[in-house]
Amino acid sequence: ILNKKKKIEIDIVEVPGVIKLYKRLKKFLKDKKNIKLNFYSKIPKKKYDILHISDSLQYVEKWENFITDLTKLRPKFIILNNLTAGLIKEYNTYQNFYNEKIFYKFFNIKKVISLFNDYNLEFASPYLNLIKGKYTEYPQPNFKLKDRLGYPCTLIFKLKN
């Protein structure tokens, strides 16, 4: 249960162009004195209760180093949401995005989980992705059957005592 009187600080980490867009959110929170938004282009080295990563790990080329850096911060919880991971062989591809090709990763879920040595996996579930107005599997008809993800997942890790 969230204590509405407690001060909440949210650090948002994004590329500089997206930070510009996010800063517009601040005007919606002006009268919310207990919420503070901070914007960064890299994760600051500070203590966190919860680290929440959603829809983005698949774009990180050196993802194993990234996970290692996150776990060194020792937050109480780490949430990986809409993670492109399953019981598939790990592979890289490129996403066509407005005439650009962007690195895109599909993960083997067991390998991802193995990187969280100081954490217990508390929750794992398929993630119901809304694509073109429908909750559906990843559209991958151009991929070999063995490489198709189906549904991404949500993983929640809790720091061991």
Side-chain angles (χ1 to χ4, degrees):
I1 298 174
L2 183 64
N3 180 346
K4 292 181 182 181
K5 292 181 181 179
K6 189 173 182 177
K7 295 226 180 250
I8 299 169
E9 191 168 339
I10 300 172
D11 289 349
I12 298 171
V13 180
E14 264 296 354
V15 294
V18 175
I19 289 173
K20 246 180 165 179
L21 296 172
Y22 276 154
K23 286 190 175 181
R24 294 181 190 169
L25 288 175
K26 280 191 169 186
K27 68 180 177 186
F28 297 111
L29 295 171
K30 273 186 188 171
D31 55 339
K32 305 287 186 206
K33 293 179 180 139
N34 62 330
I35 298 175
K36 182 180 180 198
L37 294 179
N38 304 306
F39 299 92
Y40 300 97
S41 57
K42 64 181 186 174
I43 297 174
K45 300 215 183 295
K46 57 194 250 192
K47 184 71 179 150
Y48 290 99
D49 292 325
I50 301 169
L51 276 176
H52 179 252
I53 297 146
S54 187
D55 299 276
S56 57
L57 191 60
Q58 63 267 30
Y59 298 107
V60 178
E61 290 188 50
K62 294 181 180 182
W63 70 277
E64 290 164 303
N65 295 343
F66 182 75
I67 295 291
T68 299
D69 291 345
L70 292 180
T71 59
K72 284 179 183 174
L73 295 172
R74 302 192 55 77
K76 293 177 188 173
F77 292 92
I78 298 176
I79 301 167
L80 303 178
N81 194 43
N82 197 4
L83 179 68
T84 54
L87 295 173
I88 58 174
K89 185 178 176 184
E90 174 184 315
Y91 63 94
N92 303 329
T93 188
Y94 289 88
Q95 178 182 33
N96 292 320
F97 188 76
Y98 296 99
N99 299 320
E100 297 287 329
K101 291 203 179 282
I102 300 172
F103 175 86
Y104 200 91
K105 178 90 177 167
F106 286 89
F107 304 92
N108 175 279
I109 195 167
K110 290 179 181 181
K111 183 174 180 182
V112 172
I113 292 168
S114 74
L115 295 175
F116 289 86
N117 298 322
D118 294 336
Y119 288 81
N120 290 318
L121 179 63
E122 295 289 316
F123 179 82
S125 173
Y127 178 83
L128 292 178
N129 215 0
L130 189 62
I131 300 173
K132 295 184 179 179
K134 277 178 54 179
Y135 289 102
T136 185
E137 296 180 4
Y138 264 47
Q140 295 180 298
N142 55 325
F143 287 65
K144 294 176 185 172
L145 279 174
K146 67 178 178 67
D147 292 334
R148 293 182 191 174
L149 176 63
Y151 291 96
C153 64
T154 297
L155 303 175
I156 301 176
F157 297 91
K158 183 179 181 184
L159 186 63
K160 293 176 183 175
N161 291 336

